[in-house]
Every structure is written in structure tokens, then in C-alpha cells.
């Protein structure tokens, strides 16, 4: 490449060359295929300068398969509109299966907490006779709930 110099000018050599900047060490790069189908014709997309624009352009989604209590598969499609959608809370909110599981988990955690802190119940469970009566009452309630559930399904 020939450069023109004027009178009294000093040559300043270009020391930079084309290079790829290294990712700073305090960053994490995550690469994941979030669409189910391969593109028919790969295309180079330019002009996307923000993460939001990338999500808007590609509209990533992922079909996932959960397993219910009976071992049956439960298929759902998760959609991602921003990086925040990868958070557990946001994934749970958009999935009926995960929402039901989280509700059940919260119920059992609350029940366990109540059982551990309920002194009257703990004393009742220490006595074998009152423990048997308590178990019988729980079994009777479970039977009533089953009957109500069956009646509701038949309606």
C-alpha cells in the first residue's frame, strides 16, 4: 500500500492489526441451541446490536419433557424472550407442570415446618393410642377426599 506524505510530515506506522478481542476473565459465555429445527438455508444476520434484538429475531424456544409421579412423560414448550426467562422463577411461571410441582413442594415444606413446631401434635404422637387415633383420622379424611374427587370427575 503506497501512502502519500506531505512536507514536514512524520510517518506513523499502524501497529494494530485485525484481531479478536479476548473475552474478559470475569465473564461467562454460554452457547446453547434453543431452537428445535436446523435452518433450511443458513443466513448471516447483521445489525443485531443488543441481546433483546437477538431474542426478538430468533424467538428461541425449547421443547422439554418432564416426568410426572406415575412416570408418564409431560411435554411442554418453553419460550425465551430475554435472559431473565432462564431464571428458575420465570421457567416455573410459564410451565404448568413446574408451577404445580412448586406449589406441591411449598405445601409439603410448610406442612413439615408446622409439624415440627406444633408441640401439641408432637405430644399426641408420642402416646401410642393418640398416635393411632390420629392416623385413623387422617386415613378417614383421605378416603373422604378420594370419594369427593371421584364424584367431581364423574360430573
Amino acid at each position: 500500500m503506497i501512502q502519500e506524505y506531505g512536507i514536514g510530515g512524520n510517518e506513523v506506522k499502524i501497529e494494530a492489526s485485525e484481531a479478536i478481542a479476548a473475552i474478559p476473565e470475569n465473564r461467562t459465555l454460554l452457547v446453547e441451541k434453543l431452537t428445535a429445527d436446523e435452518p433450511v438455508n443458513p443466513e448471516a444476520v447483521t445489525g443485531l446490536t443488543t441481546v433483546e434484538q437477538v431474542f426478538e429475531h430468533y424467538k428461541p424456544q425449547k421443547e422439554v419433557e418432564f416426568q410426572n409421579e406415575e412416570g408418564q412423560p409431560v411435554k411442554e414448550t418453553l419460550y425465551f424472550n430475554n435472559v431473565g426467562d432462564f431464571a428458575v422463577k420465570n421457567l416455573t411461571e410459564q410451565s404448568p407442570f413446574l408451577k404445580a410441582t412448586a406449589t406441591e413442594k411449598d405445601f409439603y415444606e410448610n406442612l413439615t415446618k408446622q409439624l415440627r413446631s406444633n408441640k401439641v401434635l408432637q405430644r399426641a404422637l408420642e402416646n401410642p393410642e393418640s398416635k393411632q387415633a390420629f392416623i385413623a383420622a387422617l386415613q378417614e379424611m383421605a378416603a373422604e377426599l378420594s370419594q369427593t374427587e371421584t364424584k367431581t370427575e364423574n360430573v
Side-chain angles (χ1 to χ4, degrees), residues 77-89:
T77 303
L78 300 175
Y79 300 92
F80 304 93
N81 299 313
N82 57 49
V83 176
D85 287 342
F86 290 95
V88 173
K89 179 181 175 186

Side-chain angles (χ1 to χ4, degrees), residues 77-123:
T77 303
L78 300 175
Y79 300 92
F80 304 93
N81 299 313
N82 57 49
V83 176
D85 287 342
F86 290 95
V88 173
K89 179 181 175 186
N90 293 338
L91 288 173
T92 303
E93 280 300 312
Q94 70 168 297
S95 164
F97 178 80
L98 290 178
K99 196 180 294 186
T101 303
T103 302
E104 193 174 323
K105 174 186 161 277
D106 291 342
F107 171 77
Y108 286 124
E109 284 177 350
N110 193 13
L111 179 64
T112 302
K113 183 179 175 184
Q114 291 293 327
L115 291 174
R116 287 186 177 153
S117 63
N118 189 330
K119 302 296 181 193
V120 175
L121 179 61
Q122 289 175 354
R123 275 188 257 126

Side-chain angles (χ1 to χ4, degrees), residues 7-56:
I7 298 175
N10 295 323
E11 179 181 3
V12 178
K13 294 195 182 219
I14 300 172
E15 295 180 14
S17 63
E18 290 186 35
I20 298 173
I23 296 173
E25 291 183 25
N26 64 347
R27 303 286 165 87
T28 301
L29 175 64
L30 175 65
V31 178
E32 175 68 31
K33 180 180 174 212
L34 294 173
T35 53
D37 302 323
E38 295 288 334
V40 177
N41 294 322
E43 62 178 304
V45 178
T46 59
L48 302 178
T49 57
T50 66
V51 175
E52 290 78 18
Q53 289 175 341
V54 172
F55 276 97
E56 179 62 32

